[in-house]
Amino acid sequence: MKYKHLIFDLDGTLWDPRSTIIGIWNDVLHEHQLIERELKPEDMNPYMGLLAKDIIKDIVSGISDQEAQEVLSNIIAKEKEVLRARGGILYRGVEETLKKLSEDHRLFIVSNCQDGYIEAFLEYYQFNDLFTDFESHGRTQKPKSENIQLIMERNHLSPDDTVYIGDTQTDYDASQSNTLSFIFCKYGFGHLNTEDYQPAIAAFPDLELYV
């Protein structure tokens, strides 16, 4: 076994939540009269993995910080409720592979999502027992690199036997900041600046080849 501890990104790595969250974003943005055209799931692709406040400011040009925060608060409240009820779409093989990996690895999640988002994911799929710990930007207001560091410190993880698994350049950069190995999920929403990066997986079950 190469790694004992596996830290996962969430969106684009473990699941695709776009079909669920797009309705929430449309409802809230319409309530605030901020968009004329409804967003489609694919419109969220460039934003997956980014901070929600930055997404709002990009979608709604010129929005004030105060209104952006109000919109974000409404979105967060609705996401917690809806995701717990409807979930998202797990990538092929995620459930079976996570259960198998949890037998001899410790599993973690670090995501740039809002507070309560990871909890909704874990509760909907009943994955709480599979993961040792998790952290999010919404809970700490810290960047992903620092949240990875928090997970490593409070769980006494060593870079020598820990790997971060994600689908964006941000994920790669955050792992490098913590001198962690990185496995790239090619099926996700992002891409890397380095062409033909390895190790990379085309489907989640391929992860077993590298850990």
Side-chain angles (χ1 to χ4, degrees), residues 37-80:
R37 178 185 68 85
E38 284 201 349
L39 300 171
K40 299 177 181 179
E42 56 267 27
D43 291 331
M44 300 301 289
N45 288 10
Y47 301 121
M48 301 307 290
L50 302 182
L51 302 181
K53 63 180 181 180
D54 295 332
I55 299 173
I56 292 170
K57 288 191 172 184
D58 193 76
I59 291 175
V60 185
S61 178
I63 189 172
S64 67
D65 289 343
Q66 180 178 349
E67 187 169 17
Q69 185 56 53
E70 183 180 347
V71 170
L72 179 58
S73 296
N74 291 347
I75 288 173
I76 290 173
K78 290 190 176 184
E79 278 189 346
K80 290 179 182 179

